[in-house]
Amino acid sequence: MPDLSRWLNAHLWLVYVFLYAPILVLMGLSFNRAGMPTAWTGFSTAWYGKLIESPEITSAAFNTLIVASVSTVIATMLGTALALGVSRRRPSSALEALLFAPMIIPDIVLAIALLSFYTLLGFTLGLHSIILSHVVFNIAFVCAIVRTRLRHFDYSVVEASVDLGASEFTTFLRVTLPMIWPGVLAGALLAFTLSVDEFIIAYFTAGPGSSSTTLPMRIYAMIRFGVTPEINAMATIVMLFSFTLVLVSQRINKGTVTRS
Amino acid sequence: MTMLRKLAAAAAAATVALAAVPGLAAGKIVISNWDGYMPADMAEQFQAATGIEMEVALHATNEEIMGKIVAGGGKGYDVLFVSSPFAEALNQLGLAAKIDHGMIPNLANLYPQANELAYDPGNTYQVPYAWGTTGLCYRSDLVAGTPDSWSDLLNPDDALKGKITMLATDRWLMAAGMLARGYSVNETDQAKIDEVKADLIAAKKNLLAYDDTTFYSKLVSGEASLVHAWDGWCNYGTAENDQIKYVIPKEGTDLWVDTMVIPAASENKEAAHAFINFVLGQETGKWVAENIMYKVPNKAAMELLDPGYVAAFPNIGYDPAEMLKQEQMRDLGAAQKAYTKAVSEITASQ
Amino acid sequence: MTPRLRSWLLMLPGIGWLTVFMIVPCLIVFFYSFFERGTYGGIDYIFGFQNFSRAAEPVYRTIFLTSARIALEATLIAVVVAYPAAYAISLAPKARQTRLLLLVMLPFWSNYLIRTYAWIVLLNREGLINRGLRGMGVIDEPLPILYNEFAVVTGLVYNYLPFVILAIYASIQRIDPSLREASEDLGAPGWRTFLRVTLPLTLPGVAAGAVFVFVLSIGNFITPDLLGGGRLQMVGNLIYDQFLSARDWPFGAAVSLVLIFIMMLLLFAQAAAVNRAQDHGRAA
C-alpha cells in the first residue's frame, strides 16, 4: 500500500497546515506594532516587553497551568479506574447516562449549578473550586477514551498474570496499565487541553481576585477591546513552551520502546 | 493617548492627597470591573492614598457578573461596576447594600442631575461612575452625507449594506428599533415589542454582524462604515482615525449610566465606601475621563478637562442638562423575558 | 476479591465525584425548571410545566433544529477529515506517533478565544484569505466567508478536530495487525480489508469522536457568537441568554433538560448502533 500511505501522509500534512494556520497568524500578529489584529503596521517586540510588565497575565497563565495539571491528574486516575470498573460489567443504562452526562450538560448550567451548590455549602471559592469543577467533565472524557481502548482489551493476559501468582496491584501496574497506556495518555491529553481552554465554569466557580483568575478568564474579559498583541505574545510563548516540552519529552523517551 | 496618560499620571501623583480619606484602617477590597475601564494604576494610587489594598477582578459583560452575584450572593466582592438596569435589579433582589452618604463626602462633586437619576433618586444603593449616550458612529469619509436617524441604521442606503453593525446586548439592540418608531426604550407592551422585532429582523439582512466589542476596529479597518455604538467606544475609534465621528440620532437616545454597587454580602463596606469616595475625587475623576474616554458625572472633574481634549472628542463635552433629557434605561421586571425572546427570534432568523 | 467487588471499588471514586459535584448541583438547578422566574430574576415558587411547553414553541424548535444541523455538518466534516489523519499517524514509526499526536494537540494549548480571533483575521473581508485570493487574481470581490454558517462550521471543525483524531487513533491503535494481515492473506483487496475489518473495529473510536464533536458543538456559544457575528442562534447561545440575559433560570433549566434528554436518546441510539456494527464486523 505505498501509494495509499503517500496520500494519507499528504492529507496529514494538510491537516497540520489547517491546524497551525491560525496559530501562525497569531504568532505573526504578536510582532505587529499596531494594537489591532486587522492591520499590519510594522515589526515590533514591544508587546513581549509589555507582557513581562503585566503580572496579571503571567499569574493567570500560571494559575491555568496549576488547574489544568491537577485536574488532569485527578481526572485521569478516577476516569481510568471508572473505565476499568465499567468495561467488564453488563451495560447498564443508568451508568451510561451518568458517564455521558458531564459531556452533555451545557457548561453554563454546570457553572451556575456548581456555584449555587458551593454557595449553599458556604464553601470558600478559590483556585481549588475550579479544580474540583474541572475534574467533573474531565472524568467523563478520560473514561470515554479509555473505554474505547478497553473494548479490544485481551483480558486473558490479565488472568494469566493473576494465575501465575502476581498480586492485583502488580498485575495492574505491569500488565494492564502498559497495555492501555496510549488510551490513558490520550485521555489525559484531552483532559489537559479541555481544562486549559475552559473559562465559563472557571469564571463562575473561581474565587474573587487575581489569585484565582485563569488565563482564559482573563482573556475573555480582555477581549472587550479586541485581542491585543500582548495576548498574542502570551499565546506564542505558551506555544513555544509546549513545543519545547514536546521535544524534550521525545528526547527522554528515546530509549523507551512503545509496546503495542 | 500615551501622552495624555503620562500627563494625567503626573498630575494625579502631585495632587493625590486631595482624594485621601484620613483615619481609615488598612484592609483589602475586591473590585469587579470591565477591563480597561479604570486607570491601570488605580490600585497603587488608592493604596497610596488610603493604605487599603485593592484587587481587580474582571468581567466581560454585565450579564456575567450578574449571574455570578445572583448565584453566589456576592460574597468576596466589595465593589461592583454594573450598568444601571442591573444595579436596579440587584437592589430589587436584595443583593445591594445601602450607600452611606456620610462616608462619601466627594458626592458633592457630582452634577446635581447625577443625584436625581430616575432609577435611583438620591443614590441610595449605587453611585454613578460614568455616563453617556448611545448613537451612530461612522466613517465620515466612507458615508455620504451625515447620518442623523436610527433609520439610517435600520434601513440603510445600498452603499452601506453589509457594512453596518448593531449592538448585540438585547436592551440596546431593541432600543434602536424602539427609538426609530418613537417608542420608549423601556417599552413593555408586547404588540410594540413584536413590531420592533419585525423591523429588526428585516434590518438583519443589511448587517455585517452584531458586535459589542470590536465595532470600532471594524470602522478603523474599513470593514464597516456605520455602526451602532456607545459614545465612549466611538472615541476609541476617533483616537485611531479622526474621520470617525459620533452622532446622536434625532429621535433621541438612551442615557446609560455605569454605576458602582456595594454587594450586601461585602465584608469590607467601610473600605468599599472609601474606594467610591476616592473615585469621586476631582483629580481621579478627571484622570478617569481622560483615560477611558468617557464622560463622568463628576462636575468638578469635567470642569478641569483640557478644552483641546474636549474638542477632539466632542461627545465628551455633551452638556449634562441636555443629556438628562434623554430616556434612562430601567430594569424591565417581568418584561425582560419578552425582550430576550424577541432577540432570540431576531438572531435565529435566516 | 470478587470481580464484582473489584469493579465497584474501581468505579466508586469516580461515581462519588460525579454524584457530589455534578448530580447534586444540577438537581438543584433542574428543580427550578418547574417554577417561574421572579420579577427581577429570582424564583417564584409556583409549580407548573409552562417552561417545558414554552420550550416547544416554534422559535425554540427552530433553534434546536438549526443547532443540530450545524453540529451534524461539523461532525461529519470532522470525522471525514480526522480518520485518514489518524490512520496516517498510526502507520508512522512507533517512536514518531506520540510526537505527531502531541503536534495535533499543541495548537489547543494556546487559547480558544485567541484562535477564534485568528480565524476572524483570516476570514474577514479584508483578511488574509481574501487578500491572498484577490492578489492571485482568483476572485474579484471578497468572499463572504465570515459572520455566517460557513465560518461557524469551520470554527467548530477546527476546535474539535484534534479530539476526533485522538479518539480514532486510540481505537485504530488497538487493532491486532494480524487481523488485517489475515484478511489480506485470504486474498481480500485493500479496500475490502479496510471496509470489513478495520473500519468496523475502529467504529467505537469514530463514534466516540463523533459524539465529542456533536455534543460539544451543540452546546457551544462562543463560536456562533464570534464567527457567526451574533447572526446565528444555537442552543448554547439560547441557554446562556436565559441564564444570564433574561435571568430566567427556570426556563434556562427547562431548555437544558430538553437538550440533555434529546442528546441522551441520540447517544443511546448511537451506542446500540455501534454494538450492532461490531457484532456484524465480528461475524464477517
Side-chain angles (χ1 to χ4, degrees), chain C residues 250-261:
Chain C
F251 186 53
V255 173
S256 306
L257 274 175
V258 170
L259 177 68
I260 292 172
F261 182 68

Side-chain angles (χ1 to χ4, degrees), chain B residues 71-83:
Chain B
K75 194 172 123 179
Y77 289 95
D78 302 296
V79 179
L80 304 169
F81 283 72
V82 290
S83 304

Side-chain angles (χ1 to χ4, degrees), chain A residues 65-121:
Chain A
L65 211 63
I66 297 179
V67 168
S69 314
V70 177
S71 70
T72 297
V73 166
I74 300 177
T76 305
M77 291 193 307
L78 294 180
T80 306
L82 202 49
L84 286 169
V86 165
S87 56
R88 291 257 250 168
R89 300 171 63 86
R90 202 165 326 203
S92 131
S93 310
L95 205 49
E96 296 290 324
L98 181 64
L99 296 176
F100 284 146
M103 298 191 267
I104 301 179
I105 297 182
D107 44 14
I108 184 70
V109 175
L110 198 54
I112 291 208
L114 281 167
L115 180 56
S116 308
F117 180 60
Y118 293 146
T119 307
L120 238 102
L121 295 179

Side-chain angles (χ1 to χ4, degrees), chain A residues 36 38 115-116 119 122 203-204 206 208-211 218 220-226, chain B residues 30 34-35 55 58-60 64-65 67-68 71-72 76-77 213 216-217 220-221 233:
Chain A
M36 278 181 317
T38 42
L115 180 56
S116 308
T119 307
Y203 177 74
F204 280 91
S210 54
S211 53
R218 186 116 216 142
Y220 186 59
M222 287 171 81
I223 61 171
R224 275 301 256 186
F225 283 56
Chain B
V30 176
W34 287 275
D35 181 47
E55 257 203 270
L58 297 182
H59 58 259
E64 219 172 84
I65 186 67
K68 195 154 186 204
Y77 289 95
T213 58
Y216 79 92
S217 59
V220 173
S221 73
W233 278 95

Side-chain angles (χ1 to χ4, degrees), chain B residues 136-350:
Chain B
L136 306 174
C137 190
Y138 65 100
R139 284 276 295 266
S140 52
D141 55 333
L142 296 178
V143 175
T146 313
D148 63 350
S149 158
W150 288 110
S151 303
D152 291 326
L153 195 64
L154 299 175
N155 298 306
D157 295 331
D158 285 340
L160 292 177
K161 288 188 180 166
K163 299 198 166 196
I164 298 187
T165 74
M166 289 187 72
L167 292 175
T169 315
D170 52 6
R171 292 302 305 277
W172 280 285
L173 174 57
M174 293 292 283
M178 290 290 180
L179 289 164
R181 278 189 176 251
Y183 299 152
S184 155
V185 300
N186 299 310
E187 185 61 63
T188 54
D189 178 47
Q190 187 63 50
K192 300 203 169 97
I193 293 176
D194 289 336
E195 279 174 23
V196 169
K197 180 184 72 184
D199 290 344
L200 290 171
I201 289 180
K204 186 178 169 186
K205 297 183 184 42
N206 302 318
L207 289 185
L208 174 65
Y210 293 102
D211 191 344
D212 268 0
T213 58
T214 54
F215 49 79
Y216 79 92
S217 59
K218 289 189 172 74
L219 277 180
V220 173
S221 73
E223 217 187 328
S225 310
L226 171 67
V227 304
H228 185 189
W230 293 292
D231 54 8
W233 278 95
C234 196
N235 290 336
Y236 301 133
T238 310
E240 311 250 5
N241 179 337
D242 56 14
Q243 301 285 3
I244 293 178
K245 303 206 186 311
Y246 177 78
V247 67
I248 296 181
K250 60 181 186 238
E251 297 93 348
T253 177
D254 69 287
L255 164 61
W256 56 263
V257 184
D258 282 336
T259 71
M260 298 180 277
V261 173
I262 301 180
S266 161
E267 287 159 7
N268 300 302
K269 297 201 174 67
E270 255 191 46
H273 279 89
F275 174 76
I276 296 181
N277 194 53
F278 178 76
V279 169
L280 291 183
Q282 186 182 41
E283 279 306 324
T284 320
K286 168 174 182 278
W287 190 9
V288 167
E290 283 167 350
N291 274 273
I292 69 174
M293 299 170 100
Y294 275 83
K295 292 185 285 299
V296 292
N298 186 330
K299 181 162 192 267
M302 296 298 284
E303 283 169 355
L304 278 186
L305 283 179
D306 171 27
Y309 180 66
V310 177
F313 303 104
N315 63 53
I316 300 246
Y318 193 33
D319 179 11
E322 278 300 307
M323 204 161 60
L324 260 296
K325 292 187 188 152
Q326 307 293 351
E327 247 198 304
Q328 292 169 45
M329 262 192 202
R330 307 290 306 274
D331 181 273
L332 296 168
Q336 177 62 46
K337 279 164 52 169
Y339 271 61
T340 309
K341 181 168 180 205
V343 172
S344 287
E345 284 184 64
I346 296 169
T347 46
S349 69
Q350 299 291 334

